[in-house]
Amino acid sequence: FAEWSGINALLYYGPTLVHSIGLRGDTVTLLVSGGIGIVQLIAVMPAIVFIDRVGRRPLLRGDAAMALSHLGIAVLVILFQSDWSAHRFAAWIAVGYVGIYTFTFAYGISFGPIGWVLPSEVFPLSMRSKGVALSTASNWINNFFIGLLTPVFVGFSPSVTFLIFAGACTLSYLWATHLVPETANVSLEEVDKLFRSSAGREEALLKAEIEQDLGFRELISELVDDR
């Protein structure tokens, strides 16, 4: 969902997407490309502060704002694409107030950081490295398809392009609302309960058995007694 939200389509093809809503020139290209990075940096700051206080799921629901942003751009494109030169204000609204910058801020506070945090929290230790590796591979595979398909989508129809991203963000919101467990300040054993699994508990028992077999607990007790 992170890739199909459209964030890397904007990073890779920002000038192309902006040209599709009627804006031209080097200044516009700089404002869009540089502005996306600045807005995303600003948005990540509150995410860092609130990610444990508020939780993962509430922040992930920023997908709703992302979907509305894409939908707003799509509507503006449908209404004014025949004569953007006479509707420059509408084009800038698509970039700023209801469009690209709003989407970027919502992404920076939701999927931007949480898309990397969540995979490391839902896998038990025995499979965490493989699970995170698979989630990272999935991210970059979808990134590849976004890079490949975005020019095709824009060439076919700019409004359809933004509607595709809006649809992906809507599905992501439903997924985050109904299927994603809250993992903030949750232990591995509690994560097991969330997924109705016993992997974390089994690992804890195995760890205790190994420590007992190797005499770690007795060694630690002796060291504490000597002090």
Side-chain angles (χ1 to χ4, degrees):
F1 286 120
E3 295 300 328
W4 287 95
S5 70
I7 185 62
N8 279 326
L10 289 174
L11 293 176
Y12 298 156
Y13 300 106
T16 301
L17 292 171
V18 169
H19 290 169
S20 73
I21 59 176
L23 297 176
R24 301 284 191 276
D26 294 337
T27 302
V28 172
T29 300
L30 179 62
L31 283 173
V32 173
S33 300
I36 289 173
I38 293 171
V39 171
Q40 194 168 358
L41 175 64
I42 294 171
V44 168
M45 300 301 179
I48 294 173
V49 174
F50 293 111
I51 192 169
D52 285 323
R53 297 180 186 177
V54 176
R56 281 57 162 157
R57 290 181 66 186
L59 292 180
L60 277 177
R61 288 171 186 156
D63 295 341
M66 293 156 59
L68 290 174
S69 297
H70 284 310
L71 183 61
I73 297 173
V75 170
L76 290 171
V77 171
I78 292 170
L79 292 176
F80 303 116
Q81 63 182 345
S82 60
D83 190 11
W84 279 117
S85 59
H87 301 92
R88 300 281 294 178
F89 183 67
W92 279 109
I93 288 177
V95 172
Y97 297 108
V98 301
I100 292 174
Y101 289 162
T102 303
F103 160 79
T104 303
F105 187 88
Y107 178 88
I109 204 171
S110 58
F111 253 108
I114 298 173
W116 297 101
V117 171
L118 198 61
S120 66
E121 296 179 327
V122 297
F123 294 105
L125 292 175
S126 61
M127 61 179 70
R128 180 168 295 177
S129 58
K130 293 180 181 178
V132 173
L134 285 173
S135 65
T136 303
S138 172
N139 181 74
W140 288 111
I141 289 170
N142 283 279
N143 186 7
F144 167 77
F145 285 114
I146 285 294
L148 191 68
L149 295 174
T150 297
V152 178
F153 292 156
V154 175
F156 174 72
S157 171
S159 59
V160 169
T161 303
F162 288 105
L163 286 174
I164 289 172
F165 295 149
C169 291
T170 301
L171 290 175
S172 177
Y173 173 81
L174 295 174
W175 170 75
T177 301
H178 299 291
L179 297 177
V180 175
E182 180 56 70
T183 58
N185 304 309
V186 175
S187 67
L188 285 176
E189 291 76 13
E190 292 171 320
V191 170
D192 276 351
K193 293 179 182 178
L194 291 174
F195 288 100
R196 298 178 183 178
S197 170
S198 61
R201 186 169 62 255
E202 291 171 359
E203 287 182 359
L205 292 173
L206 180 60
K207 179 182 177 183
E209 291 177 5
I210 293 173
E211 289 177 350
Q212 185 174 357
D213 292 342
L214 296 177
F216 281 164
R217 293 185 179 181
E218 290 79 2
L219 178 60
I220 293 173
S221 298
E222 291 176 2
L223 290 174
V224 172
D225 293 338
D226 290 341
R227 289 184 179 182

